[in-house]
Amino acid sequence: MNLLVNSAGFGLPLAFERNDIEDEGRHLCLHVEVPMRLMHAALPGMLERRSGTILKIASASAVMPRSTYGAVKSWQVQFFRWANGAYRGRGVTVSAVCPGSTHTDFHARLGLPRGEEGIPDWL
């Protein structure tokens, strides 16, 4: 494997205190544990070949206070930033992409009605 791309994810309502804690746990697992495990599985072969790319589709929410969604996206960016510094000299590039917001129904799940996402117009 020379390329690993991970973009799996979902959001929860921003009212953390009202969210089911089991949903929060699944959210944390999918956004933090799964990318970590995927990277861990792919790295040995890439490092041995001195060639590979690991790409995580994160979110601009990594720099916005967005309850646990922003927190997990921030973790992804920081972890991938660290990994790129640690492995790029050994032939493996690790990147987190933080696309800006688009108007979709995704934000409705967070409890943010269309037009009230709280996203600056420039994004």
Side-chain angles (χ1 to χ4, degrees):
M1 172 187 341
N2 253 9
L3 175 65
L4 170 63
V5 178
N6 177 263
S7 65
F10 67 94
L12 292 171
L14 299 179
F16 171 75
E17 75 282 2
R18 292 193 303 260
N19 290 345
D20 181 272
I21 195 63
E22 297 305 318
D23 288 344
E24 289 286 355
R26 284 186 286 278
H27 183 256
L28 183 67
C29 180
L30 182 65
H31 287 276
V32 173
E33 184 177 349
V34 168
M36 179 185 64
R37 287 180 179 277
L38 289 171
M39 183 187 300
H40 192 265
L43 266 173
M46 290 178 174
L47 290 170
E48 184 177 313
R49 289 185 301 279
R50 298 193 59 77
S51 176
T53 301
I54 300 173
L55 181 64
K56 174 63 184 151
I57 307 302
S59 170
S61 291
V63 296
M64 296 179 197
R66 293 273 178 204
S67 188
T68 54
Y69 186 77
V72 296
K73 293 302 181 175
S74 180
W75 183 91
Q76 291 172 354
V77 169
Q78 292 303 316
F79 181 61
F80 277 63
R81 182 179 286 159
W82 164 82
N84 189 56
Y87 300 116
R88 73 173 171 243
R90 296 170 63 190
V92 179
T93 301
V94 182
S95 300
V97 178
C98 296
S101 298
T102 57
H103 289 286
T104 67
D105 290 336
F106 176 82
H107 294 97
R109 181 173 174 111
L110 300 176
L112 301 168
R114 186 179 268 275
E116 297 178 27
E117 294 94 346
I119 299 164
D121 290 337
W122 61 270
L123 283 176

